[in-house]
Coordinates of all heavy atoms in Angstrom, one line a residue:
M1349 N 13.0 -3.4 -0.9 CA 12.2 -2.2 -1.1 C 10.8 -2.6 -1.1 O 10.4 -3.6 -1.7 CB 12.5 -1.5 -2.5 CG 11.8 -0.3 -2.7 SD 12.4 0.6 -4.1 CE 14.1 1.1 -3.6
I1350 N 9.9 -1.7 -0.6 CA 8.5 -2.2 -0.5 C 7.7 -0.9 -1.1 O 8.0 0.4 -1.0 CB 7.9 -2.2 1.0 CG1 8.7 -3.3 1.6 CG2 6.5 -2.3 1.0 CD1 8.4 -3.5 3.2
F1351 N 6.8 -1.1 -2.0 CA 5.9 -0.2 -2.7 C 4.6 -0.1 -1.9 O 3.9 -1.2 -1.7 CB 5.8 -0.5 -4.1 CG 6.9 -0.4 -4.9 CD1 7.9 -1.3 -5.1 CD2 7.2 0.9 -5.5 CE1 9.2 -1.1 -5.8 CE2 8.4 1.2 -6.2 CZ 9.4 0.1 -6.3
L1352 N 4.2 1.0 -1.5 CA 3.1 1.3 -0.6 C 2.0 2.0 -1.5 O 2.2 3.0 -2.2 CB 3.5 2.3 0.5 CG 2.5 2.6 1.6 CD1 2.0 1.2 2.3 CD2 3.0 3.6 2.5
F1353 N 0.8 1.4 -1.5 CA -0.4 1.9 -2.2 C -1.5 2.2 -1.3 O -1.6 1.6 -0.2 CB -0.7 0.7 -3.2 CG 0.3 0.4 -4.2 CD1 1.2 -0.5 -4.0 CD2 0.2 1.1 -5.5 CE1 2.2 -0.9 -5.0 CE2 1.1 0.8 -6.4 CZ 2.1 -0.2 -6.2
P1354 N -2.4 3.1 -1.7 CA -3.6 3.3 -0.9 C -4.5 2.2 -0.9 O -4.6 1.4 -1.9 CB -4.3 4.5 -1.7 CG -3.2 5.0 -2.6 CD -2.3 4.0 -2.8
N1355 N -5.1 1.9 0.2 CA -6.0 0.8 0.3 C -7.4 1.0 -0.3 O -7.8 2.2 -0.5 CB -6.1 0.2 1.8 CG -6.8 1.0 2.7 OD1 -7.0 2.2 2.4 ND2 -7.4 0.4 3.6
D1356 N -8.1 0.0 -0.5 CA -9.5 0.0 -0.9 C -10.3 0.4 0.3 O -10.1 -0.3 1.3 CB -9.9 -1.4 -1.5 CG -11.3 -1.4 -2.0 OD1 -12.3 -1.2 -1.2 OD2 -11.5 -1.5 -3.2
Y1357 N -11.2 1.4 0.3 CA -12.1 1.7 1.4 C -12.8 0.6 2.0 O -12.9 0.5 3.2 CB -12.8 3.0 1.0 CG -13.6 3.6 2.2 CD1 -13.0 4.4 3.0 CD2 -14.9 3.2 2.3 CE1 -13.7 4.9 4.1 CE2 -15.7 3.8 3.3 CZ -15.1 4.6 4.3 OH -15.8 5.1 5.3
F1358 N -13.3 -0.1 1.2 CA -14.1 -1.2 1.6 C -13.6 -2.6 1.9 O -14.1 -3.5 2.5 CB -15.3 -1.4 0.6 CG -16.3 -0.2 0.4 CD1 -16.1 0.5 -0.8 CD2 -17.2 0.2 1.3 CE1 -17.0 1.6 -1.0 CE2 -17.9 1.2 1.2 CZ -17.9 2.0 0.1
N1359 N -12.3 -2.7 1.4 CA -11.5 -4.0 1.8 C -10.2 -3.4 2.0 O -9.1 -3.4 1.3 CB -11.4 -4.8 0.5 CG -10.8 -6.1 0.8 OD1 -10.2 -6.4 1.9 ND2 -10.8 -6.9 -0.1
P1360 N -9.9 -3.0 3.4 CA -8.5 -2.4 3.8 C -7.3 -3.2 3.5 O -6.2 -2.6 3.6 CB -8.9 -2.1 5.2 CG -10.2 -2.5 5.5 CD -10.8 -3.3 4.4
K1361 N -7.4 -4.5 3.3 CA -6.2 -5.3 3.1 C -5.8 -5.4 1.7 O -4.9 -6.1 1.4 CB -6.4 -6.7 3.7 CG -6.5 -6.6 5.3 CD -6.7 -8.1 5.8 CE -6.8 -8.0 7.2 NZ -6.9 -9.3 7.9
K1362 N -6.6 -4.7 0.8 CA -6.3 -4.8 -0.6 C -6.2 -3.4 -1.2 O -6.7 -2.4 -0.7 CB -7.6 -5.4 -1.2 CG -7.5 -5.7 -2.7 CD -8.7 -6.4 -3.2 CE -8.5 -6.7 -4.6 NZ -9.8 -7.3 -5.3
A1363 N -5.3 -3.2 -2.2 CA -5.0 -1.9 -2.9 C -6.3 -1.4 -3.6 O -7.1 -2.2 -4.0 CB -4.0 -2.0 -3.8
D1364 N -6.3 -0.2 -3.7 CA -7.5 0.6 -4.3 C -7.4 0.0 -5.8 O -6.3 -0.2 -6.3 CB -7.3 2.2 -4.3 CG -8.4 2.7 -4.9 OD1 -8.3 3.0 -6.2 OD2 -9.3 3.2 -4.3
A1365 N -8.6 -0.1 -6.3 CA -8.8 -0.6 -7.7 C -7.9 0.1 -8.8 O -7.5 -0.6 -9.7 CB -10.2 -0.8 -8.1
A1366 N -7.7 1.4 -8.6 CA -6.9 2.1 -9.5 C -5.4 1.7 -9.5 O -4.7 2.0 -10.6 CB -7.1 3.7 -9.2
Y1367 N -5.0 1.1 -8.5 CA -3.6 0.7 -8.5 C -3.2 -0.8 -8.6 O -2.2 -1.3 -8.6 CB -3.0 1.0 -7.2 CG -3.1 2.6 -7.0 CD1 -4.1 3.2 -6.3 CD2 -2.1 3.4 -7.6 CE1 -4.2 4.5 -6.1 CE2 -2.2 4.7 -7.4 CZ -3.2 5.4 -6.7 OH -3.3 6.7 -6.6
L1368 N -4.3 -1.7 -8.9 CA -4.2 -3.1 -8.9 C -3.2 -3.6 -9.9 O -2.5 -4.6 -9.7 CB -5.6 -3.9 -9.0 CG -6.6 -3.7 -7.9 CD1 -7.8 -4.4 -8.2 CD2 -5.9 -4.4 -6.6
E1369 N -3.2 -2.9 -11.1 CA -2.2 -3.4 -12.1 C -0.9 -3.1 -11.7 O 0.0 -3.9 -11.9 CB -2.6 -2.6 -13.5 CG -1.8 -3.1 -14.6 CD -2.3 -2.4 -16.0 OE1 -3.3 -1.8 -16.0 OE2 -1.4 -2.4 -16.8
Q1370 N -0.7 -1.9 -11.1 CA 0.7 -1.5 -10.6 C 1.1 -2.5 -9.5 O 2.3 -2.9 -9.6 CB 0.7 -0.2 -10.1 CG 0.7 1.0 -11.2 CD 0.9 2.3 -10.5 OE1 1.7 2.5 -9.7 NE2 0.0 3.3 -10.9
V1371 N 0.2 -2.8 -8.7 CA 0.6 -3.9 -7.5 C 1.1 -5.2 -8.2 O 2.1 -5.7 -7.8 CB -0.6 -4.1 -6.6 CG1 -0.4 -5.2 -5.7 CG2 -1.0 -2.9 -5.8
A1372 N 0.3 -5.6 -9.1 CA 0.7 -6.9 -9.9 C 2.1 -6.9 -10.5 O 2.9 -7.7 -10.3 CB -0.5 -7.3 -10.7
C1373 N 2.3 -5.8 -11.2 CA 3.5 -5.6 -11.8 C 4.6 -5.6 -10.9 O 5.7 -6.2 -11.1 CB 3.6 -4.3 -12.6 SG 2.5 -4.3 -14.1
M1374 N 4.5 -4.9 -9.6 CA 5.6 -4.8 -8.7 C 5.9 -6.2 -8.1 O 7.0 -6.7 -7.9 CB 5.3 -3.8 -7.6 CG 5.1 -2.4 -8.1 SD 6.8 -1.9 -8.8 CE 6.3 -0.1 -9.2
Q1375 N 4.6 -7.0 -7.8 CA 4.8 -8.3 -7.3 C 5.6 -9.2 -8.3 O 6.3 -10.0 -7.9 CB 3.6 -8.7 -6.8 CG 3.0 -8.0 -5.5 CD 1.6 -8.3 -5.2 OE1 0.9 -8.9 -6.0 NE2 1.2 -7.9 -3.9
N1376 N 5.2 -9.2 -9.5 CA 5.8 -10.0 -10.5 C 7.3 -9.7 -10.7 O 8.0 -10.6 -11.1 CB 5.0 -9.9 -11.8 CG 3.6 -10.5 -11.8 OD1 3.4 -11.3 -11.0 ND2 2.7 -10.0 -12.7
A1377 N 7.6 -8.4 -10.5 CA 9.1 -8.1 -10.5 C 9.8 -8.4 -9.3 O 11.1 -8.2 -9.1 CB 9.2 -6.7 -10.8
G1378 N 9.1 -9.0 -8.3 CA 9.9 -9.5 -7.1 C 9.9 -8.4 -5.9 O 10.5 -8.7 -5.0
F1379 N 9.2 -7.4 -6.1 CA 9.0 -6.4 -5.0 C 7.9 -6.8 -4.1 O 6.9 -7.3 -4.5 CB 8.8 -5.0 -5.5 CG 10.0 -4.5 -6.3 CD1 10.0 -4.4 -7.7 CD2 11.3 -4.0 -5.7 CE1 11.1 -4.0 -8.4 CE2 12.3 -3.5 -6.4 CZ 12.3 -3.5 -7.7
A1380 N 8.0 -6.3 -2.8 CA 7.1 -6.4 -1.9 C 6.1 -5.2 -2.0 O 6.6 -4.3 -2.3 CB 7.7 -6.4 -0.4
T1381 N 4.9 -5.4 -1.7 CA 3.8 -4.4 -1.5 C 3.1 -4.4 -0.2 O 2.9 -5.4 0.4 CB 2.8 -4.4 -2.7 OG1 2.1 -5.7 -2.6 CG2 3.6 -4.4 -4.2
S1382 N 2.7 -3.2 0.1 CA 1.7 -3.0 1.3 C 0.7 -2.0 0.9 O 1.0 -1.2 0.0 CB 2.6 -2.5 2.6 OG 3.4 -3.4 3.0
V1383 N -0.3 -1.8 1.7 CA -1.4 -0.8 1.6 C -1.4 -0.1 2.8 O -1.1 -0.5 4.0 CB -2.7 -1.5 1.3 CG1 -2.7 -2.2 -0.2 CG2 -3.2 -2.5 2.4
I1384 N -1.9 1.3 2.6 CA -2.0 2.1 3.7 C -3.3 2.8 3.7 O -3.9 3.1 2.6 CB -1.0 3.2 3.7 CG1 -1.1 4.0 4.9 CG2 -1.0 4.1 2.4 CD1 0.1 5.0 5.3
S1385 N -4.0 2.8 4.8 CA -5.3 3.5 4.9 C -5.1 5.1 5.0 O -4.5 5.5 6.0 CB -6.1 3.1 6.2 OG -7.2 4.0 6.4
L1386 N -5.5 5.8 3.9 CA -5.4 7.2 4.0 C -6.3 7.8 5.0 O -5.8 8.9 5.6 CB -5.6 7.8 2.6 CG -4.7 7.3 1.5 CD1 -5.1 7.8 0.1 CD2 -3.3 7.5 1.8
E1387 N -7.4 7.1 5.3 CA -8.3 7.7 6.3 C -7.6 7.6 7.7 O -7.8 8.5 8.5 CB -9.6 7.0 6.4 CG -10.5 7.2 5.1 CD -10.1 6.5 3.9 OE1 -9.1 5.6 4.0 OE2 -10.4 6.8 2.9
S1388 N -6.8 6.5 7.9 CA -6.1 6.5 9.2 C -5.0 7.8 9.4 O -4.8 8.0 10.5 CB -5.5 5.2 9.4 OG -4.3 5.0 8.6
L1389 N -4.5 8.2 8.4 CA -3.6 9.3 8.4 C -4.4 10.5 9.0 O -3.7 11.4 9.7 CB -2.9 9.5 7.1 CG -2.0 8.5 6.5 CD1 -1.7 8.9 5.1 CD2 -0.9 8.4 7.4
E1390 N -5.6 10.7 8.6 CA -6.3 11.9 9.2 C -6.4 12.0 10.7 O -6.5 12.9 11.3 CB -7.7 12.0 8.6 CG -7.5 12.2 7.0 CD -9.1 12.3 6.4 OE1 -10.0 12.0 7.1 OE2 -9.1 12.5 5.2
S1391 N -6.5 10.6 11.3 CA -6.7 10.5 12.7 C -5.2 10.5 13.5 O -5.3 10.5 14.6 CB -7.5 9.3 13.1 OG -6.7 8.1 12.7
G1392 N -4.2 10.6 12.6 CA -2.9 10.6 13.3 C -2.3 9.2 13.3 O -1.2 9.2 14.0
S1393 N -2.9 8.3 12.9 CA -2.3 7.0 13.0 C -2.2 6.3 11.7 O -3.3 6.3 10.9 CB -3.1 6.1 14.0 OG -4.4 5.7 13.5
S1394 N -1.2 5.7 11.2 CA -1.1 5.2 9.9 C -1.2 3.6 10.0 O -0.5 3.0 10.9 CB 0.2 5.5 9.2 OG 1.4 5.1 10.0
K1395 N -2.1 3.0 9.3 CA -2.3 1.6 9.3 C -1.8 1.1 8.0 O -2.4 1.2 7.0 CB -3.8 1.3 9.6 CG -4.3 1.7 10.9 CD -5.8 1.4 11.0 CE -6.3 1.8 12.3 NZ -7.7 1.7 12.5
I1396 N -0.6 0.4 8.0 CA 0.0 -0.3 6.9 C -0.1 -1.8 7.1 O 0.2 -2.2 8.1 CB 1.5 0.2 6.8 CG1 1.6 1.7 6.7 CG2 2.1 -0.5 5.6 CD1 3.0 2.4 6.6
I1397 N -0.5 -2.4 5.9 CA -0.8 -3.8 6.0 C -0.1 -4.4 4.8 O -0.3 -4.0 3.6 CB -2.2 -4.1 5.9 CG1 -2.9 -3.5 7.1 CG2 -2.4 -5.7 5.9 CD1 -4.5 -3.7 7.1
P1398 N 0.8 -5.3 4.8 CA 1.6 -5.7 6.1 C 2.5 -4.7 6.6 O 3.0 -4.0 5.7 CB 2.3 -7.1 5.7 CG 2.4 -7.0 4.3 CD 1.3 -6.2 3.7
V1399 N 2.9 -4.6 7.8 CA 3.7 -3.7 8.4 C 5.2 -3.9 7.9 O 5.6 -5.0 8.0 CB 3.7 -3.6 10.0 CG1 4.6 -2.6 10.5 CG2 2.2 -3.5 10.3
P1400 N 5.9 -3.0 7.3 CA 7.2 -3.1 6.9 C 8.1 -3.2 8.1 O 7.8 -2.6 9.2 CB 7.5 -1.9 6.1 CG 6.3 -0.9 6.1 CD 5.3 -1.6 7.0
T1401 N 9.3 -3.8 7.9 CA 10.2 -3.9 9.1 C 10.8 -2.5 9.2 O 10.9 -1.6 8.2 CB 11.4 -4.9 8.7 OG1 11.9 -4.6 7.5 CG2 10.8 -6.2 8.6
P1402 N 11.5 -2.1 10.4 CA 11.8 -0.7 10.6 C 13.0 -0.3 9.7 O 13.1 0.9 9.3 CB 12.4 -0.9 12.0 CG 11.6 -1.9 12.7 CD 11.4 -2.9 11.6
D1403 N 13.7 -1.3 9.0 CA 14.9 -0.8 8.1 C 14.5 -0.9 6.7 O 15.3 -0.8 5.8 CB 16.1 -1.8 8.3 CG 15.7 -3.3 8.1 OD1 14.5 -3.7 8.2 OD2 16.6 -4.0 7.8
S1404 N 13.2 -1.1 6.4 CA 12.6 -1.2 5.1 C 12.8 0.3 4.4 O 12.6 1.3 5.0 CB 11.3 -1.6 4.9 OG 11.1 -3.0 5.4
K1405 N 13.1 0.2 3.1 CA 12.9 1.4 2.2 C 11.5 1.4 1.6 O 11.3 0.3 1.0 CB 14.0 1.5 1.1 CG 15.3 1.7 1.8 CD 16.5 1.7 0.7 CE 17.8 1.8 1.4 NZ 18.8 2.0 0.4
V1406 N 10.8 2.3 1.8 CA 9.4 2.4 1.3 C 9.2 3.5 0.3 O 9.6 4.6 0.5 CB 8.4 2.6 2.6 CG1 7.0 2.6 2.0 CG2 8.7 1.5 3.5
V1407 N 8.5 3.0 -0.9 CA 8.1 4.1 -1.9 C 6.7 4.1 -1.9 O 6.0 3.1 -2.1 CB 8.8 3.7 -3.2 CG1 8.3 4.6 -4.4 CG2 10.3 3.5 -3.2
Y1408 N 6.1 5.4 -1.7 CA 4.6 5.5 -1.8 C 4.2 5.8 -3.3 O 4.9 6.6 -4.0 CB 4.2 6.7 -0.9 CG 2.8 7.1 -1.1 CD1 1.9 6.2 -0.6 CD2 2.3 8.2 -1.7 CE1 0.5 6.4 -0.6 CE2 0.9 8.4 -1.8 CZ 0.1 7.4 -1.2 OH -1.3 7.8 -1.4
R1409 N 3.3 4.9 -3.7 CA 2.8 5.1 -5.1 C 1.4 5.6 -5.2 O 0.7 5.2 -6.1 CB 2.9 3.6 -5.7 CG 4.3 3.2 -6.0 CD 5.0 3.8 -7.0 NE 4.3 3.7 -8.3 CZ 4.2 4.7 -9.2 NH1 4.9 5.8 -9.1 NH2 3.5 4.6 -10.3
G1410 N 0.9 6.4 -4.3 CA -0.4 6.9 -4.4 C -0.5 8.2 -5.1 O -1.0 8.9 -5.8

């Protein structure tokens, strides 16, 4: 299972500051995390870093 968080606007490979504590908790519990650019969704393309495998279960935490 991968937990997906909104990215930081100025650092797209890092979660938004409001979610950093949650990201650390998820990673410490052994879960994978990724970030998504919400701005990219407006243009019709989602940029997820790192990209989950096609069979991954993803939970959005935004």
Side-chain angles (χ1 to χ4, degrees):
M1349 183 174 298
I1350 298 174
F1351 288 88
L1352 184 62
F1353 294 91
N1355 73 336
D1356 182 297
Y1357 184 79
F1358 297 107
N1359 187 354
K1361 294 182 179 182
K1362 187 175 180 181
D1364 185 271
Y1367 299 97
L1368 290 177
E1369 186 175 339
Q1370 288 185 44
V1371 169
C1373 287
M1374 296 298 180
Q1375 290 173 342
N1376 288 338
F1379 291 104
T1381 60
S1382 289
V1383 294
I1384 186 168
S1385 167
L1386 299 179
E1387 290 77 18
S1388 71
L1389 291 174
E1390 293 176 0
S1391 67
S1393 67
S1394 59
K1395 294 181 182 172
I1396 299 175
I1397 301 171
V1399 178
T1401 60
D1403 60 336
S1404 295
K1405 292 182 182 180
V1406 179
V1407 177
Y1408 178 67
R1409 290 292 303 149

